[in-house]
Amino acid sequence: MKTAFRGKAAFALALLCLGVAAFFAGKILYTELEYKEGDDVYEEIAQMAVTDSEEPDESPASAVSESETDAEEEVALPVVDFTALAGINTDIGAWLYSPDTVINYPVVQGTDNEYYLYHLADGTYNRNGCLFTDCNNNDDFSDENTIIYGHHMASGKMFASLIQYEEQEYYEAHPVMYLTVGDSKYRLELFAGYTTTADSSAYIMRFSDSHEFAEWMREVSGKSDFTANIRLITDDRIVTLSTCAYSFQDARYVVHGRLIKLNDEGD
């Protein structure tokens, strides 16, 4: 009798284990399919609204870091059709591009900082979310510090690559990004990256005067994991890229860059 009971119990336990395994396998499959759906949406958006420029930005590395090397590299900048993007979502106001990385995404701004954590740029619910500027920032990147948030995806997409700025070698390979806002194109010259908390000074958007702003720039530059030879001035406008980090609870990894308008004299 006991042997029969034990046999039934073992069989029931085996079924339970199989059920649990099937549940988690299904959950993993669903997540992977959801991530792929998000990737497909962004690829479709890029194909619809973005083409390569015929006027590349030349030698971004030397322009940023006053590098000892004289090597020049031409970067084909994206040409963004914001009229087409407005047909997808009027919240799309910018496009962020980092050469030779996965970062080639629209940037939206919502009425809060929650919605686009779990919605794509076309409004579809998806855990990939979207790159979005803080809802309290001006939409034209005119604040002293404009913040762009993005997920640290296990797939490596969105802002997962930001954490690689912990290494000097990665910074030297990717010292700039490019931001398009309406008819204006900017080079985003990166000058600092580090792990911080969600309520740190990295997220201050506006400053009472130029002295306070200068002190802030010195502070964040001093925290950087990489070294960048960039001379900041209080006329600069900063963009802070922010994603989750996992070195402690509620950790964030931020990368700061200054905007340089590409049609400014000297570019």
Side-chain angles (χ1 to χ4, degrees):
M1 188 75 176
K2 288 183 178 179
T3 301
F5 175 77
R6 288 173 183 168
K8 290 179 180 178
F11 180 70
L13 181 60
L15 285 178
L16 177 62
C17 290
L18 285 172
V20 171
F23 170 79
F24 283 107
K27 190 173 182 180
I28 291 170
L29 178 61
Y30 175 82
T31 299
E32 292 299 320
L33 289 173
E34 185 178 22
Y35 289 167
K36 184 180 185 305
E37 178 186 351
D39 293 343
D40 290 345
V41 167
Y42 284 120
E43 184 175 345
E44 289 172 7
I45 290 174
Q47 290 176 350
M48 178 187 300
V50 179
T51 57
D52 288 341
S53 172
E54 296 179 357
E55 299 179 1
D57 180 33
E58 296 180 353
S59 61
S62 61
V64 171
S65 60
E66 299 175 2
S67 172
E68 294 178 1
T69 178
D70 291 329
E72 291 190 352
E73 177 185 2
E74 291 188 352
V75 178
L77 305 182
V79 174
V80 183
D81 183 349
F82 283 100
T83 300
L85 291 175
I88 299 170
N89 185 353
T90 56
D91 285 347
I92 301 174
W95 193 279
L96 183 66
Y97 170 60
S98 176
D100 301 319
T101 77
V102 300
I103 298 176
N104 187 28
Y105 295 118
V107 181
V108 304
Q109 184 176 49
T111 56
D112 57 47
N113 290 334
E114 301 295 329
Y115 182 81
Y116 284 110
L117 285 172
Y118 300 108
H119 289 82
L120 305 176
D122 66 352
T124 303
Y125 180 86
N126 188 291
R127 280 174 287 183
N128 276 280
C130 189
L131 302 190
F132 63 94
T133 58
D134 195 288
C135 64
N136 296 302
N137 274 126
N138 293 327
D139 62 6
D140 59 356
F141 290 79
S142 60
D143 287 320
E144 287 96 332
N145 183 30
T146 299
I147 302 156
I148 302 178
Y149 303 98
H151 282 308
H152 183 164
M153 302 299 295
S155 64
K157 299 300 178 66
M158 308 310 291
F159 268 175
S161 60
L162 292 187
I163 198 73
Q164 296 187 62
Y165 281 99
E166 290 179 329
E167 302 297 330
Q168 182 70 27
E169 183 178 2
Y170 187 82
Y171 164 72
E172 290 175 359
H174 306 89
V176 298
M177 297 186 190
Y178 296 91
L179 185 72
T180 304
V181 185
D183 294 330
S184 298
K185 288 183 171 60
Y186 300 89
R187 187 169 57 235
L188 184 60
E189 301 182 344
L190 308 179
F191 65 87
Y194 54 91
T195 303
T196 189
T197 58
D199 60 351
S200 76
S201 62
Y203 298 96
I204 297 174
M205 302 174 200
R206 304 176 186 91
F207 300 85
S208 59
D209 54 40
S210 59
H211 175 74
E212 184 179 63
F213 187 32
E215 285 297 319
W216 177 85
M217 288 191 288
R218 278 192 286 271
E219 175 194 341
V220 299
S221 296
K223 297 177 181 179
S224 184
D225 293 324
F226 60 80
T227 300
N229 298 319
I230 295 178
R231 297 185 182 94
L232 300 171
I233 60 174
T234 54
D235 286 338
D236 286 331
R237 290 296 171 262
I238 307 303
V239 173
T240 296
L241 313 177
S242 173
T243 195
C244 289
Y246 303 106
S247 49
F248 54 84
Q249 187 173 1
D250 294 329
R252 301 290 187 272
Y253 199 84
V254 296
V255 177
H256 301 291
R258 68 169 179 178
L259 286 175
I260 300 294
K261 198 168 185 179
L262 290 180
N263 61 0
D264 279 352
E265 184 177 353
D267 274 19

